[in-house]
Amino acid sequence: MMQPAPIELKKIWGCERWLASTHPNGTQPDFAAALGGGYPLLVKIIQADDRLSVQVHPDDRAAAQLEGAECRGKTECWYVLDAEPGARLISGFSHACSAGELEAAVRNGTVAALLEEVPVARGDFVFIPAGTVHAIGAGMRLLEVQQSCDTTYRLYDWGRGRELHIEKALRVARRERSPGAAPFPGSFSCEYFSLERLDVRGGWSMRASGERAPESWQLLFVLEGSGAITDCATGGRLALAPEQLHAVAPGDKITVEGTLSLLRIRCGRHDG
């Protein structure tokens, strides 16, 4: 059991706080050393004071073709930790558009008119499969769980003058509507990761299963409340507070006490 030291990254639109990462662009040395290898996921908090660019990420196949065989794709999801009244984000298109329609809009700088804007509130969840055109709006704070990839292709940047990646973005973009945002259903699972909300009212225990491998580590993120986490083998005890993340090694047994809500994050699909 450990609490990796976060990495703070300032951005033109706000900031990111990387909570679990072995990615070369932001490796946490203590986390990487404990795992003894690369972690398939990257978990971060995004504080969006201004809107992010309209962007898209490649899937595994496109990433390998466009960026090199060692590069993986980026499927991601967002759990809304906080949102100002009227906060909105972009997820997909308002209608299924043709390749020609999308390219013309990108070249003309009118792509924003094709996009689907959705309102979000605290506790909402958004799944962004690789290839989904998206943008985070201003006035929100998100927990992002994603494949360990830092490849982003910008389609549009609201006139800020940063580099665009139009050719690659058009190549990987999916042109259909997406489901948008909805309150988190309690659990979610896809090919790359699973999330489960755990509401602790007193005590809860778990033993992390799996072989002693980086992908078998489990992450516990504190959504709200307070309490403590204890390593049953060593007796080590740490206080828990909102937006902390603790990593649990395979084979470890831990006990959580208090009144709090956790998000358990695991690599791969866990439907049960």
Side-chain angles (χ1 to χ4, degrees):
M1 180 185 77
M2 65 172 302
Q3 183 182 3
I7 297 173
E8 306 282 348
L9 300 173
K10 296 295 184 182
K11 301 289 184 177
I12 190 173
W13 40 260
C15 65
E16 291 184 350
R17 193 167 192 242
W18 291 22
L19 303 178
S21 171
T22 60
H23 192 279
N25 291 352
T27 297
Q28 294 162 290
D30 55 347
F31 187 50
L35 268 64
Y39 193 57
L41 304 180
L42 197 165
V43 179
K44 66 178 76 165
I45 292 174
I46 296 176
Q47 175 62 48
D49 300 321
D50 195 0
R51 54 190 173 183
L52 279 68
S53 63
V54 176
Q55 57 189 245
V56 65
H57 309 297
D59 61 16
D60 290 337
R61 181 178 179 181
Q65 291 174 342
L66 297 173
E67 306 298 333
E70 74 288 348
C71 187
R72 56 166 55 98
K74 184 178 176 182
T75 284
E76 61 189 325
C77 68
W78 302 324
Y79 189 108
V80 181
L81 301 174
D82 197 14
E84 297 176 0
R88 304 172 74 86
L89 53 77
I90 289 168
S91 176
F93 296 91
S94 59
H95 65 280
C97 58
S98 68
E101 183 182 9
L102 176 57
E103 181 170 3
V106 170
R107 304 291 185 191
N108 296 332
T110 59
V111 68
L114 299 178
L115 301 171
E116 179 77 2
E117 285 198 49
V118 295
V120 292
R122 180 184 175 91
D124 279 352
F125 177 78
V126 186
F127 179 50
I128 306 289
T132 303
V133 175
H134 61 278
I136 298 171
M140 66 182 76
R141 188 170 178 85
L142 311 174
L143 178 72
E144 180 173 283
V145 179
Q146 57 160 96
Q147 291 179 266
S148 183
C149 170
D150 204 25
T151 302
T152 295
Y153 302 143
R154 294 191 197 102
L155 274 172
Y156 183 68
D157 197 32
W158 316 105
R160 285 186 286 219
R162 292 188 295 174
E163 180 186 5
L164 301 180
H165 316 93
I166 293 174
E167 302 301 332
K168 290 182 177 180
L170 290 174
R171 181 169 170 178
V172 306
R174 300 165 58 171
R175 302 185 305 277
E176 70 268 18
R177 300 187 67 177
S178 70
F184 185 65
S187 64
F188 174 83
S189 189
C190 71
E191 177 183 357
Y192 301 104
F193 48 75
S194 69
L195 290 78
E196 178 186 7
R197 180 174 173 131
L198 303 167
D199 295 312
V200 179
R201 302 294 180 264
W204 172 79
S205 296
M206 65 160 263
R207 182 184 296 277
S209 60
E211 298 180 357
R212 196 80 179 184
E215 61 270 18
S216 297
W217 282 67
Q218 298 188 29
L219 308 178
L220 297 176
F221 177 82
V222 184
L223 291 168
E224 56 190 26
S226 61
I229 184 170
T230 301
D231 186 319
C232 296
T234 67
R237 183 179 175 89
L238 296 171
L240 294 174
E243 300 193 0
Q244 286 184 348
L245 182 140
H246 292 265
V248 183
D252 284 0
K253 182 178 180 181
I254 57 94
T255 296
V256 174
E257 298 172 287
T259 301
L260 66 162
S261 295
L262 304 170
L263 202 63
R264 177 161 66 162
I265 302 165
R266 289 179 281 179
C267 298
R269 185 178 295 277
H270 297 272
D271 295 315

